[in-house]
Every structure is written in C-alpha cells, then in structure tokens.
mmCIF file of all heavy atoms in Angstrom:
data_model
loop_
_atom_site.group_PDB
_atom_site.id
_atom_site.type_symbol
_atom_site.label_atom_id
_atom_site.label_comp_id
_atom_site.label_asym_id
_atom_site.label_seq_id
_atom_site.Cartn_x
_atom_site.Cartn_y
_atom_site.Cartn_z
ATOM 1 N N ASP A 1 92.245 104.845 107.070
ATOM 2 C CA ASP A 1 91.362 105.440 106.065
ATOM 3 C C ASP A 1 91.897 105.274 104.641
ATOM 4 O O ASP A 1 91.132 105.324 103.676
ATOM 5 C CB ASP A 1 91.144 106.923 106.365
ATOM 6 C CG ASP A 1 90.353 107.143 107.635
ATOM 7 O OD1 ASP A 1 89.595 106.221 108.031
ATOM 8 O OD2 ASP A 1 90.491 108.214 108.259
ATOM 9 N N ARG A 2 93.199 105.044 104.514
ATOM 10 C CA ARG A 2 93.772 104.864 103.178
ATOM 11 C C ARG A 2 93.235 103.607 102.506
ATOM 12 O O ARG A 2 93.219 103.509 101.277
ATOM 13 C CB ARG A 2 95.297 104.811 103.255
ATOM 14 C CG ARG A 2 95.939 106.111 103.701
ATOM 15 C CD ARG A 2 97.458 106.032 103.682
ATOM 16 N NE ARG A 2 97.974 105.863 102.321
ATOM 17 C CZ ARG A 2 99.262 105.760 102.024
ATOM 18 N NH1 ARG A 2 100.174 105.806 102.994
ATOM 19 N NH2 ARG A 2 99.656 105.618 100.770
ATOM 20 N N ALA A 3 92.811 102.631 103.306
ATOM 21 C CA ALA A 3 92.303 101.385 102.730
ATOM 22 C C ALA A 3 90.993 101.575 101.982
ATOM 23 O O ALA A 3 90.607 100.714 101.181
ATOM 24 C CB ALA A 3 92.128 100.331 103.823
ATOM 25 N N GLN A 4 90.290 102.695 102.223
ATOM 26 C CA GLN A 4 89.053 102.986 101.508
ATOM 27 C C GLN A 4 89.199 104.130 100.508
ATOM 28 O O GLN A 4 88.209 104.529 99.884
ATOM 29 C CB GLN A 4 87.935 103.302 102.508
ATOM 30 C CG GLN A 4 87.468 102.103 103.307
ATOM 31 C CD GLN A 4 86.909 100.993 102.437
ATOM 32 O OE1 GLN A 4 86.192 101.246 101.476
ATOM 33 N NE2 GLN A 4 87.240 99.744 102.766
ATOM 34 N N ASP A 5 90.399 104.631 100.319
ATOM 35 C CA ASP A 5 90.666 105.648 99.294
ATOM 36 C C ASP A 5 90.965 104.919 97.990
ATOM 37 O O ASP A 5 92.018 104.292 97.842
ATOM 38 C CB ASP A 5 91.851 106.511 99.719
ATOM 39 C CG ASP A 5 92.164 107.624 98.734
ATOM 40 O OD1 ASP A 5 91.717 107.550 97.567
ATOM 41 O OD2 ASP A 5 92.881 108.568 99.116
ATOM 42 N N LEU A 6 90.051 104.983 97.046
ATOM 43 C CA LEU A 6 90.141 104.153 95.842
ATOM 44 C C LEU A 6 91.220 104.602 94.868
ATOM 45 O O LEU A 6 91.549 103.869 93.928
ATOM 46 C CB LEU A 6 88.775 104.122 95.141
ATOM 47 C CG LEU A 6 87.618 103.605 96.001
ATOM 48 C CD1 LEU A 6 86.332 103.569 95.211
ATOM 49 C CD2 LEU A 6 87.932 102.232 96.583
ATOM 50 N N GLY A 7 91.784 105.780 95.097
ATOM 51 C CA GLY A 7 92.904 106.223 94.278
ATOM 52 C C GLY A 7 94.247 105.930 94.914
ATOM 53 O O GLY A 7 95.293 106.209 94.320
ATOM 54 N N ASP A 8 94.224 105.362 96.112
ATOM 55 C CA ASP A 8 95.428 105.081 96.890
ATOM 56 C C ASP A 8 95.702 103.577 96.822
ATOM 57 O O ASP A 8 94.793 102.761 96.969
ATOM 58 C CB ASP A 8 95.187 105.523 98.344
ATOM 59 C CG ASP A 8 96.449 105.569 99.182
ATOM 60 O OD1 ASP A 8 97.417 104.853 98.857
ATOM 61 O OD2 ASP A 8 96.453 106.300 100.196
ATOM 62 N N LEU A 9 96.958 103.197 96.636
ATOM 63 C CA LEU A 9 97.311 101.785 96.532
ATOM 64 C C LEU A 9 97.569 101.135 97.889
ATOM 65 O O LEU A 9 97.830 99.928 97.950
ATOM 66 C CB LEU A 9 98.539 101.613 95.638
ATOM 67 C CG LEU A 9 98.379 102.140 94.205
ATOM 68 C CD1 LEU A 9 99.635 101.861 93.391
ATOM 69 C CD2 LEU A 9 97.149 101.557 93.523
ATOM 70 N N ALA A 10 97.489 101.902 98.973
ATOM 71 C CA ALA A 10 97.634 101.328 100.311
ATOM 72 C C ALA A 10 96.378 100.547 100.677
ATOM 73 O O ALA A 10 95.282 100.835 100.206
ATOM 74 C CB ALA A 10 97.881 102.430 101.335
ATOM 75 N N GLY A 11 96.551 99.536 101.545
ATOM 76 C CA GLY A 11 95.410 98.754 101.994
ATOM 77 C C GLY A 11 94.743 98.004 100.857
ATOM 78 O O GLY A 11 93.522 97.946 100.764
ATOM 79 N N ALA A 12 95.588 97.408 99.987
ATOM 80 C CA ALA A 12 95.059 96.846 98.749
ATOM 81 C C ALA A 12 95.891 95.661 98.286
ATOM 82 O O ALA A 12 96.975 95.394 98.788
ATOM 83 C CB ALA A 12 95.067 97.924 97.661
ATOM 84 N N ILE A 13 95.348 94.983 97.304
ATOM 85 C CA ILE A 13 96.114 94.039 96.496
ATOM 86 C C ILE A 13 96.139 94.603 95.086
ATOM 87 O O ILE A 13 95.087 94.988 94.544
ATOM 88 C CB ILE A 13 95.498 92.639 96.528
ATOM 89 C CG1 ILE A 13 95.591 92.091 97.957
ATOM 90 C CG2 ILE A 13 96.201 91.697 95.554
ATOM 91 C CD1 ILE A 13 94.742 90.892 98.205
ATOM 92 N N VAL A 14 97.330 94.713 94.531
ATOM 93 C CA VAL A 14 97.467 95.214 93.171
ATOM 94 C C VAL A 14 97.863 94.055 92.257
ATOM 95 O O VAL A 14 98.411 93.045 92.696
ATOM 96 C CB VAL A 14 98.493 96.356 93.073
ATOM 97 C CG1 VAL A 14 98.082 97.527 93.958
ATOM 98 C CG2 VAL A 14 99.892 95.879 93.442
ATOM 99 N N ARG A 15 97.576 94.227 90.974
ATOM 100 C CA ARG A 15 97.934 93.230 89.959
ATOM 101 C C ARG A 15 98.632 93.952 88.819
ATOM 102 O O ARG A 15 98.077 94.897 88.226
ATOM 103 C CB ARG A 15 96.682 92.515 89.457
ATOM 104 C CG ARG A 15 96.920 91.472 88.355
ATOM 105 C CD ARG A 15 95.607 90.759 88.097
ATOM 106 N NE ARG A 15 95.669 89.767 87.030
ATOM 107 C CZ ARG A 15 95.199 89.969 85.793
ATOM 108 N NH1 ARG A 15 94.670 91.149 85.457
ATOM 109 N NH2 ARG A 15 95.258 89.008 84.888
ATOM 110 N N ILE A 16 99.857 93.531 88.540
ATOM 111 C CA ILE A 16 100.649 94.166 87.499
ATOM 112 C C ILE A 16 101.274 93.096 86.613
ATOM 113 O O ILE A 16 101.383 91.928 86.998
ATOM 114 C CB ILE A 16 101.759 95.066 88.094
ATOM 115 C CG1 ILE A 16 102.698 94.242 88.984
ATOM 116 C CG2 ILE A 16 101.158 96.248 88.854
ATOM 117 C CD1 ILE A 16 103.912 94.998 89.455
ATOM 118 N N ALA A 17 101.699 93.508 85.432
ATOM 119 C CA ALA A 17 102.415 92.619 84.525
ATOM 120 C C ALA A 17 103.869 92.495 84.978
ATOM 121 O O ALA A 17 104.360 93.302 85.775
ATOM 122 C CB ALA A 17 102.338 93.163 83.098
ATOM 123 N N PRO A 18 104.599 91.493 84.485
ATOM 124 C CA PRO A 18 105.992 91.307 84.908
ATOM 125 C C PRO A 18 106.900 92.495 84.615
ATOM 126 O O PRO A 18 107.950 92.623 85.249
ATOM 127 C CB PRO A 18 106.439 90.061 84.115
ATOM 128 C CG PRO A 18 105.182 89.308 83.856
ATOM 129 C CD PRO A 18 104.130 90.353 83.656
ATOM 130 N N ASP A 19 106.514 93.376 83.707
ATOM 131 C CA ASP A 19 107.319 94.576 83.448
ATOM 132 C C ASP A 19 106.824 95.786 84.220
ATOM 133 O O ASP A 19 107.338 96.893 84.057
ATOM 134 C CB ASP A 19 107.357 94.883 81.950
ATOM 135 C CG ASP A 19 105.974 95.215 81.380
ATOM 136 O OD1 ASP A 19 104.966 95.186 82.133
ATOM 137 O OD2 ASP A 19 105.887 95.500 80.166
ATOM 138 N N GLY A 20 105.813 95.588 85.059
ATOM 139 C CA GLY A 20 105.277 96.673 85.872
ATOM 140 C C GLY A 20 104.098 97.399 85.263
ATOM 141 O O GLY A 20 103.498 98.256 85.920
ATOM 142 N N SER A 21 103.741 97.086 84.031
ATOM 143 C CA SER A 21 102.595 97.737 83.398
ATOM 144 C C SER A 21 101.293 97.168 83.967
ATOM 145 O O SER A 21 101.288 96.183 84.714
ATOM 146 C CB SER A 21 102.647 97.539 81.884
ATOM 147 O OG SER A 21 102.584 96.158 81.552
ATOM 148 N N VAL A 22 100.185 97.800 83.604
ATOM 149 C CA VAL A 22 98.875 97.381 84.116
ATOM 150 C C VAL A 22 98.223 96.424 83.119
ATOM 151 O O VAL A 22 98.048 96.778 81.946
ATOM 152 C CB VAL A 22 97.969 98.606 84.344
ATOM 153 C CG1 VAL A 22 96.574 98.158 84.791
ATOM 154 C CG2 VAL A 22 98.577 99.533 85.386
ATOM 155 N N PRO A 23 97.855 95.216 83.539
ATOM 156 C CA PRO A 23 97.174 94.289 82.622
ATOM 157 C C PRO A 23 95.856 94.873 82.125
ATOM 158 O O PRO A 23 95.123 95.531 82.874
ATOM 159 C CB PRO A 23 96.940 93.045 83.485
ATOM 160 C CG PRO A 23 97.974 93.130 84.566
ATOM 161 C CD PRO A 23 98.132 94.592 84.853
ATOM 162 N N ALA A 24 95.554 94.605 80.870
ATOM 163 C CA ALA A 24 94.349 95.170 80.265
ATOM 164 C C ALA A 24 93.073 94.649 80.905
ATOM 165 O O ALA A 24 92.033 95.318 80.848
ATOM 166 C CB ALA A 24 94.344 94.869 78.763
ATOM 167 N N ASP A 25 93.130 93.467 81.529
ATOM 168 C CA ASP A 25 91.915 92.892 82.117
ATOM 169 C C ASP A 25 91.807 93.119 83.620
ATOM 170 O O ASP A 25 91.048 92.428 84.303
ATOM 171 C CB ASP A 25 91.824 91.398 81.803
ATOM 172 C CG ASP A 25 93.015 90.601 82.322
ATOM 173 O OD1 ASP A 25 94.039 91.212 82.681
ATOM 174 O OD2 ASP A 25 92.920 89.349 82.361
ATOM 175 N N ASN A 26 92.552 94.091 84.163
ATOM 176 C CA ASN A 26 92.344 94.455 85.565
ATOM 177 C C ASN A 26 90.927 94.973 85.768
ATOM 178 O O ASN A 26 90.318 95.529 84.834
ATOM 179 C CB ASN A 26 93.352 95.534 85.991
ATOM 180 C CG ASN A 26 94.581 94.939 86.647
ATOM 181 O OD1 ASN A 26 94.825 93.745 86.590
ATOM 182 N ND2 ASN A 26 95.386 95.786 87.270
ATOM 183 N N PRO A 27 90.375 94.825 86.979
ATOM 184 C CA PRO A 27 89.031 95.364 87.229
ATOM 185 C C PRO A 27 89.026 96.884 87.114
ATOM 186 O O PRO A 27 90.032 97.544 87.390
ATOM 187 C CB PRO A 27 88.738 94.906 88.656
ATOM 188 C CG PRO A 27 90.080 94.686 89.279
ATOM 189 C CD PRO A 27 90.963 94.201 88.167
ATOM 190 N N THR A 28 87.876 97.438 86.713
ATOM 191 C CA THR A 28 87.813 98.889 86.484
ATOM 192 C C THR A 28 86.585 99.532 87.123
ATOM 193 O O THR A 28 85.848 100.267 86.460
ATOM 194 C CB THR A 28 87.823 99.189 84.977
ATOM 195 O OG1 THR A 28 86.726 98.472 84.353
ATOM 196 C CG2 THR A 28 89.130 98.784 84.328
#
C-alpha cells in the first residue's frame, strides 16, 4: 500500500540533484 501513498517515497522513483536537493523541474 505504500506504493500508492503519494507522500511516501517507498514504491517510487525519486529524482534529486547531486547535492540531495530537489530539482525545480520535478513533477508536481
């Protein structure tokens, strides 16, 4: 069920910058 929890990073692919920050053009 975590794969459908949109606030949970489990069951997902994440995209981050090389310093760990969130890229400004990530989907929203």
Side-chain angles (χ1 to χ4, degrees):
D1 292 336
R2 294 183 65 180
Q4 290 300 319
D5 182 342
L6 302 182
D8 193 335
L9 301 183
I13 295 166
V14 300
R15 178 174 178 258
I16 59 172
D19 63 359
S21 61
V22 176
D25 59 345
N26 265 13
T28 56

